[in-house]
Amino acid sequence: QALRERGCRSEEQFREVLREIEAEVQRRKQLTQQSVERRAIISKCYRPKHPEVYTLQDSFLAPEFLEIERFCSSPGADLQGLLSYLESFSDKRIYRLPVFTEQFCQALLEELENFEQSDMPKGRPNTMNNYGVLLNELGMDEPFLTPLRERLLPLTALLYPELGGACLDSHKAFVVKYSLHEDLDLSSHYDNAEVTLNVSLGKEFTEGNLYFGDFSQDPSPVPEYIEVEHRAGRGLLHRGGQIHGALPIASGERWNLIVWMRSSAVRNQLCPMCLRKPELVEAEGFGDGFTEEPPPALGVCALG
């Protein structure tokens, strides 16, 4: 029925769509092994320009972030107290906070550009972003991204308790790049995550605001959209299921760090992408954030 509504009428049209679906399934099955192979080559051959940015340090974090972290870890910390430190946008539970210093953003951008200009193999973040870097392939998962996710837990526990905010136990992280002659914008979508952190790293750019609509599992007949401006070094926290996109930039170049944070306790019950009980297959690393019990093995959703 869905295919008929989109113009499929003949048997040949249905067969062609089926061939495309099967080819895409095979492509996705190969992604993990291809990523493992790229990471091995990068680990062996790539020479970082700024090796210090690969390990999270307090000096990378904005003083305001450290203050928020101290508050959330203190006895009696509550949601109302946390909200006094954050910028809130409408009733969509979107929050902005300082994350990184300007100096760190500049150093990380120089490192990413150095990698982009190298002859290393490069995987791209997803089918919607053609320019950017998968940070696990650079070896940043354990020394940088896992500590960052863990330091966000006291915040997300208060902001998103029903989404497993206190037990976000895995992630997928990548950097996306927008410029005039490459990707300009990003169409409406929702993330394969319980909670998303989106940090603008800079450079100079104009326009390109994010826009947010309904929560994917609670759409309204006439959705209301809001726009949120990017600010370098500052991050937006939002529910992964919040429908959103990026408007076109008008000039310059913008890089964003995206961290999809996942809770196996939540997604083991219901896959956020297909809205079914997940059937798991083995995967390297964090997979798609599902776990199988027992034994505690990480996997991905076979229906996704």
Side-chain angles (χ1 to χ4, degrees), residues 118-180:
S118 74
D119 60 358
M120 293 294 102
K122 300 172 181 72
R124 297 311 182 187
N126 49 59
T127 56
M128 301 178 73
N129 294 105
N130 300 303
Y131 300 90
V133 180
L134 289 165
L135 295 181
N136 70 307
E137 295 185 3
L138 276 180
M140 295 187 73
D141 256 352
E142 289 310 310
F144 187 97
L145 292 159
T146 292
L148 178 62
R149 167 172 48 82
E150 291 173 346
R151 294 180 74 157
L152 285 164
L153 286 177
L155 285 73
T156 55
L158 292 173
L159 295 172
Y160 307 107
E162 82 288 1
L163 295 174
C167 51
L168 298 170
D169 51 6
S170 70
H171 60 262
K172 176 179 179 178
F174 49 93
V175 172
V176 293
K177 176 188 175 186
Y178 300 91
S179 68
L180 291 181

Side-chain angles (χ1 to χ4, degrees), residues 100-292:
F100 298 125
T101 66
E102 180 181 346
Q103 294 78 7
F104 170 74
C105 289
Q106 181 177 344
L108 181 57
L109 283 175
E110 290 177 0
E111 179 59 39
L112 294 169
E113 289 181 317
N114 184 67
F115 176 72
E116 282 288 88
Q117 292 161 11
S118 74
D119 60 358
M120 293 294 102
K122 300 172 181 72
R124 297 311 182 187
N126 49 59
T127 56
M128 301 178 73
N129 294 105
N130 300 303
Y131 300 90
V133 180
L134 289 165
L135 295 181
N136 70 307
E137 295 185 3
L138 276 180
M140 295 187 73
D141 256 352
E142 289 310 310
F144 187 97
L145 292 159
T146 292
L148 178 62
R149 167 172 48 82
E150 291 173 346
R151 294 180 74 157
L152 285 164
L153 286 177
L155 285 73
T156 55
L158 292 173
L159 295 172
Y160 307 107
E162 82 288 1
L163 295 174
C167 51
L168 298 170
D169 51 6
S170 70
H171 60 262
K172 176 179 179 178
F174 49 93
V175 172
V176 293
K177 176 188 175 186
Y178 300 91
S179 68
L180 291 181
H181 302 295
E182 299 176 340
D183 288 338
L184 284 174
D185 55 13
L186 186 63
S187 58
S188 293
H189 65 286
Y190 58 91
D191 300 336
N192 187 357
E194 275 62 70
V195 180
T196 295
L197 173 68
N198 181 335
V199 184
S200 175
L201 301 173
K203 299 181 168 182
E204 296 294 328
F205 60 89
T206 57
E207 303 298 336
N209 289 350
L210 283 177
Y211 62 89
F212 292 90
D214 289 340
F215 190 63
S216 61
Q217 296 185 30
D218 188 27
S220 60
V222 183
E224 294 184 2
Y225 289 89
I226 64 166
E227 288 188 29
V228 180
E229 181 184 4
H230 284 289
R231 295 182 184 173
R234 294 179 178 262
L236 291 169
L237 279 169
H238 63 84
R239 296 174 293 178
Q242 196 80 44
I243 296 172
H244 60 286
L247 296 171
I249 64 168
S251 66
E253 186 174 297
R254 187 180 80 239
W255 295 69
N256 285 67
L257 167 65
I258 313 294
V259 187
W260 290 352
M261 296 182 284
R262 295 154 166 174
S263 169
S264 60
V266 171
R267 60 183 43 220
N268 279 358
Q269 306 305 312
L270 190 73
C271 171
M273 306 305 286
C274 66
L275 301 181
R276 300 179 187 178
K277 178 74 175 179
E279 297 178 8
L280 305 182
V281 297
E282 290 184 4
E284 294 281 342
F286 288 133
D288 274 345
F290 301 90
T291 59
E292 187 174 16

